[in-house]
């Protein structure tokens, strides 16, 4: 006997992640700002964990590498939230059948835009 019944809708998850990828590729400048902000915040927050300046300087290289990695991982979260919102708006406007198709189209368009943006620099 199940007390809670959870139904997982694969179309919502897939559409949201496709929109997340599209927004992550399309808004490169915002992505870099989010990563830099998280990196600075992680370095600032971690400074308070050390009482000794010598220990802080000794472990700087490893901590900064770890903070850069964590910042790049955490930078996906705002784009995932926006992806959920975009997928929800597509489902309201066009129906659930179109959510994955429009997500794939958005990924392709943003990927082509990102390739052109990188090539022009």
């Amino acid at each position: 006997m199940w007390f809670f019944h959870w139904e997982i809708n694969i179309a919502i998850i897939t559409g949201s992640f496709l929109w997340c990828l599209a927004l992550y590729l399309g808004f490169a400048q915002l992505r870099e700002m989010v990563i830099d902000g998280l990196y600075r915040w992680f370095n600032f927050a971690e400074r308070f964990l050390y009482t000794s300046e010598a220990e802080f300087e000794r472990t700087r290289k490893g901590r900064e590498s770890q903070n850069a990695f964590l910042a790049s991982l955490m930078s996906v979260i705002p784009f995932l939230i926006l992806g959920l919102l975009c997928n929800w708006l597509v489902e309201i406007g066009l129906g659930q059948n179109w959510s994955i198709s429009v997500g794939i189209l958005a990924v392709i368009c943003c990927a082509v835009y990102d390739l052109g943006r990188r090539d022009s620099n």
Side-chain angles (χ1 to χ4, degrees):
M1 182 167 154
W2 295 96
F3 293 106
F4 298 104
H5 179 70
W6 289 63
E7 184 176 322
I8 298 174
N9 191 343
I10 302 299
I12 292 174
I13 295 170
T14 305
S16 299
F17 279 112
L18 284 170
W19 274 103
C20 173
L21 178 61
L23 295 171
Y24 194 79
L25 290 173
F27 294 105
Q29 200 170 27
L30 178 63
R31 175 183 67 216
E32 295 301 322
M33 286 177 20
V34 169
I35 290 172
D36 289 341
L38 286 170
Y39 177 69
R40 282 192 312 253
W41 185 80
F42 285 150
N43 285 334
F44 173 76
E46 199 170 47
R47 174 67 183 107
F48 294 108
L49 297 175
Y50 291 90
T51 56
S52 167
E53 185 70 31
E55 181 68 20
F56 179 74
E57 290 300 325
R58 186 181 69 79
T59 60
R60 178 183 293 270
K61 186 176 180 181
R63 284 182 299 100
E64 287 181 351
S65 298
Q66 179 183 2
N67 288 342
F69 175 71
L70 290 175
S72 65
L73 280 180
M74 299 294 286
S75 69
V76 175
I77 292 173
F79 292 100
L80 184 58
I81 293 168
L82 289 174
L84 282 165
L85 179 67
C86 289
N87 188 57
W88 179 68
L89 291 173
V90 167
E91 284 186 6
I92 286 175
L94 298 174
Q96 190 174 8
N97 295 335
W98 283 92
S99 65
I100 294 176
S101 300
V102 175
I104 291 172
L105 183 65
V107 168
I108 292 170
C109 291
C110 289
V112 168
Y113 167 75
D114 193 42
L115 285 173
R117 182 189 60 81
R118 290 181 187 193
D119 193 38
S120 67
N121 289 337

